[in-house]
Amino acid sequence: MQNSKTMSTWNSGVEQGTHVFHIRGYSHHRSTAAGARMKSILSSTFPVGGHQWAVFFRPDPDGVNSGDEIAAGLVLATKHAKVRASYDLRLVDQSTGLLVSVHKEAPREFHFNEKHPRSFISRFMEKRSLFESPTYLQDDCLTMECTVTVIKEPWKTETKPFPKIEVPQSDMTGQYTKLLEEKVGVDVTFSVGGEEFTAHKVVLATHSPVFKAQLYGPLKEAGAAPITIEDMQPDVFKELLHCIYTDSLPPLDYLNADDRTDMIRHLLVAADRYGMERLSLMCQSILCENLSVQTVATTFALADQHQCDMLKDACLEFITCSTAMNAVKRSQGYKNLKRTCPPDVIEEFEKASKFRKA
């Protein structure tokens, strides 16, 4: 089942920026003669959210050098703009660099209109003693930091495939095959029917408990002499190594149909001999798929000999469903069955034929 995964993003439409504003020579702005109007101080403009802004500061909010309050705030400097924004104005502790918020403005609309100055200026009043405290005013310098948050229309992205990383298929089989073919690091030699085969102990032991005991257990053979394998043909042992290193049956393309079936039978015997259950089941599956009147008797005898109950049951089911029992009895496999198998096995085989389905 395919499982597609996609993604999209909802963006809140918020942009934020911070500007640091230093006022040096602060006392100069406080030394204006009594009764004279003091000018406002503006920072340089800075961009946030596609608009220009400036920090506003005025020591005499009433227009004269008097009183115990000052005015500060934020100015929209982009002409003919209409923006919704909020800001946070903070004083900088000159000794520690820590920030203390003196005013947080909730989101409001800034609308640049020269006829209505209040529309593009957000101003607040604060105690002069706070701004002129030695904590914040040192060496005749006052530092403010203003963070502006511009609120835009929210937007969302188009749906697109979720990012994924493709993991290539495992090439472990190919690597083990290459290891066997190149004979790199081989540490054990087998002599089979006059031919020698090299392999890796750890690979054999991983796939076969019998090889594990033979190579690493109390039964291991001492010395570096080749280990002799009796009762097995060299070509069968070669294909057995292929099965061990690749965890699969060999293609056997070089053999005709009958010889391929014989090789599968030999590999089934080898699988039973070396305790390789998976290989045994693979062989049983192939033999089951290729049951015929010519092979069923031989396969039945083999299954009985090596305790392959599922394959044995498949043979009996084949006979029960077959209408060609006479042809089965004429096969060489049936003759071999009669000659080599115990009477009870022959009886079980022949009994199944008597209950074949119509």
Side-chain angles (χ1 to χ4, degrees):
M1 180 180 66
Q2 290 186 342
N3 181 18
S4 62
K5 190 175 184 180
T6 57
M7 64 178 291
S8 62
T9 304
W10 175 269
N11 296 280
S12 61
V14 172
E15 291 190 33
Q16 196 172 75
T18 299
H19 183 74
V20 179
F21 182 31
H22 301 286
I23 302 177
R24 302 189 187 280
Y26 180 87
S27 60
H28 172 73
H29 301 286
R30 293 278 289 121
S31 63
T32 305
R37 293 187 63 82
M38 299 180 66
K39 294 182 178 180
S40 298
I41 302 171
L42 288 175
S43 71
S44 298
T45 59
F46 56 92
V48 179
H51 301 280
Q52 295 294 321
W53 305 86
V55 176
F56 161 82
F57 181 77
R58 188 165 185 171
D60 64 329
D62 296 326
V64 295
N65 188 6
S66 62
D68 60 354
E69 290 184 327
I70 63 170
L74 182 68
V75 177
L76 173 63
T78 302
K79 292 185 177 182
H80 312 300
K82 188 176 182 180
V83 188
R84 185 170 178 79
S86 63
Y87 69 94
D88 182 12
L89 189 69
R90 301 177 293 274
L91 291 176
V92 180
D93 187 322
Q94 301 283 8
S95 299
T96 65
L98 298 177
L99 302 172
V100 175
S101 179
V102 294
H103 182 76
K104 288 185 178 181
E105 184 77 10
R108 53 154 288 183
E109 186 175 278
F110 290 78
H111 183 197
F112 192 94
N113 188 333
E114 294 178 345
K115 295 181 180 180
H116 302 283
R118 296 284 183 180
S119 65
F120 59 90
I121 297 176
S122 174
R123 190 176 84 152
F124 67 90
M125 307 291 287
E126 185 55 73
K127 293 290 185 181
R128 183 186 302 277
S129 58
L130 174 63
F131 278 77
E132 296 181 357
S133 164
T135 301
Y136 308 113
L137 182 61
Q138 292 186 16
D139 299 325
D140 207 23
C141 177
L142 179 69
T143 300
M144 292 179 285
E145 185 173 298
C146 183
T147 296
V148 181
T149 302
V150 175
I151 303 169
K152 295 185 173 183
E153 287 294 326
W155 57 281
K156 59 185 177 181
T157 63
E158 295 182 356
T159 298
K160 59 183 180 180
F162 196 84
K164 63 179 181 179
I165 299 175
E166 295 291 344
V167 179
Q169 293 292 327
S170 171
D171 189 35
M172 187 66 72
T173 297
Q175 295 297 324
Y176 270 86
T177 301
K178 187 176 180 180
L179 193 66
L180 178 64
E181 292 174 349
E182 296 183 353
K183 304 183 184 303
V184 177
V186 294
D187 54 2
V188 63
T189 302
F190 295 93
S191 177
V192 186
E195 295 185 27
E196 290 192 349
F197 299 87
T198 55
H200 304 80
K201 291 181 180 180
V202 67
V203 177
L204 302 182
T206 301
H207 289 78
S208 164
V210 176
F211 274 128
K212 182 177 181 180
Q214 185 179 23
L215 299 173
Y216 292 107
L219 300 179
K220 66 179 179 180
E221 299 185 17
I227 299 174
T228 301
I229 303 294
E230 303 287 355
D231 302 323
M232 187 178 296
Q233 296 298 317
D235 56 342
V236 176
F237 189 78
K238 178 182 178 181
E239 301 301 354
L240 176 63
L241 289 179
H242 177 279
C243 296
I244 292 174
Y245 277 77
T246 66
D247 196 33
S248 63
L249 289 170
L252 304 177
D253 296 335
Y254 62 94
L255 299 175
N256 60 40
D258 290 340
D259 289 340
R260 280 198 297 272
T261 300
D262 284 341
M263 178 60 75
I264 296 299
R265 290 178 182 139
H266 286 303
L267 288 174
L268 175 59
V269 174
D272 182 40
R273 176 175 177 176
Y274 289 102
M276 299 170 62
E277 183 177 356
R278 174 173 163 78
L279 176 57
S280 174
L281 290 173
M282 287 192 289
C283 293
Q284 291 182 57
S285 176
I286 297 296
L287 294 174
C288 181
E289 291 175 3
N290 290 278
L291 284 176
S292 68
V293 294
Q294 298 298 324
T295 63
V296 65
T298 301
T299 301
F300 177 83
L302 184 69
D304 179 77
Q305 183 180 358
H306 295 281
Q307 294 79 48
C308 302
D309 293 337
M310 288 188 293
L311 181 59
K312 185 176 178 180
D313 290 342
C315 292
L316 295 176
E317 180 68 17
F318 178 87
I319 296 170
T320 302
C321 297
S322 175
T323 59
M325 188 57 191
N326 291 332
V328 172
K329 290 183 176 181
R330 290 195 299 269
S331 68
Q332 185 61 45
Y334 181 76
K335 295 176 183 178
N336 293 336
L337 176 72
K338 296 277 287 185
R339 186 179 67 254
T340 60
C341 291
D344 57 331
V345 175
I346 300 172
E347 181 181 358
E348 183 180 11
F349 185 83
E350 293 182 339
K351 184 178 180 180
S353 67
K354 296 178 182 179
F355 295 96
R356 63 180 180 273
K357 298 176 183 178

